[in-house]
């Protein structure tokens, strides 16, 4: 698997800086939690959810450490220590 970032052209970062930041989070071994919320609660923050769910449907979300939770439609690691990073 891989993660693809779409950075704004207004943000100027180097691949080396980005890799260092990501490795810092991996070294912190942040835990990945799975939570469920009704689609009606999260559609305001994530409007695209409305296309794929019913208002009373439970949507699986993940939360990494103290970062805000986000909808998750796939598989994910149990903690960031399970990851590697290569920017290239």
């Amino acid at each position: 698997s891989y993660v693809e970032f779409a950075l704004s052209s207004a943000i100027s970062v180097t691949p080396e800086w980005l890799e260092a930041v990501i490795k810092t989070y991996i070294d912190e071994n942040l835990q990945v939690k799975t939570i469920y919320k009704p689609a009606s609660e999260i559609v305001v923050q994530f409007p695209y959810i409305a296309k794929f769910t019913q208002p009373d449907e439970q949507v699986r979300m993940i939360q990494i450490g103290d970062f805000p939770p986000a909808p998750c439609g796939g598989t994910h690691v149990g903690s960031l220590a399970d990851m590697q990073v290569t920017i290239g």
Side-chain angles (χ1 to χ4, degrees), residues 41-77:
E41 280 186 28
I42 63 170
V43 73
V44 174
Q45 186 177 1
F46 303 99
Y48 63 88
I49 291 296
K51 291 170 55 173
F52 306 105
T53 61
Q54 298 298 315
D56 60 341
E57 186 176 342
Q58 293 291 306
V59 176
R60 184 174 77 154
M61 302 180 75
I62 61 163
Q63 183 172 12
I64 301 172
D66 291 331
F67 287 97
C72 175
T75 59
H76 51 79
V77 298

Side-chain angles (χ1 to χ4, degrees), residues 72-85:
C72 175
T75 59
H76 51 79
V77 298
S79 85
L80 294 191
D82 299 330
M83 297 178 66
Q84 297 180 37
V85 62

Side-chain angles (χ1 to χ4, degrees), residues 3-87:
V3 175
E4 186 174 310
F5 290 98
L7 294 173
S8 165
S9 60
I11 299 173
S12 177
V13 299
T14 65
E16 296 80 14
W17 178 85
L18 183 58
E19 187 170 330
V21 169
I22 294 170
K23 284 183 177 180
T24 299
Y25 289 121
I26 291 172
D27 290 344
E28 289 179 18
N29 190 23
L30 298 177
Q31 297 302 299
V32 179
K33 295 186 286 188
T34 303
I35 57 177
Y36 292 87
K37 290 189 174 187
S40 60
E41 280 186 28
I42 63 170
V43 73
V44 174
Q45 186 177 1
F46 303 99
Y48 63 88
I49 291 296
K51 291 170 55 173
F52 306 105
T53 61
Q54 298 298 315
D56 60 341
E57 186 176 342
Q58 293 291 306
V59 176
R60 184 174 77 154
M61 302 180 75
I62 61 163
Q63 183 172 12
I64 301 172
D66 291 331
F67 287 97
C72 175
T75 59
H76 51 79
V77 298
S79 85
L80 294 191
D82 299 330
M83 297 178 66
Q84 297 180 37
V85 62
T86 303
I87 307 290

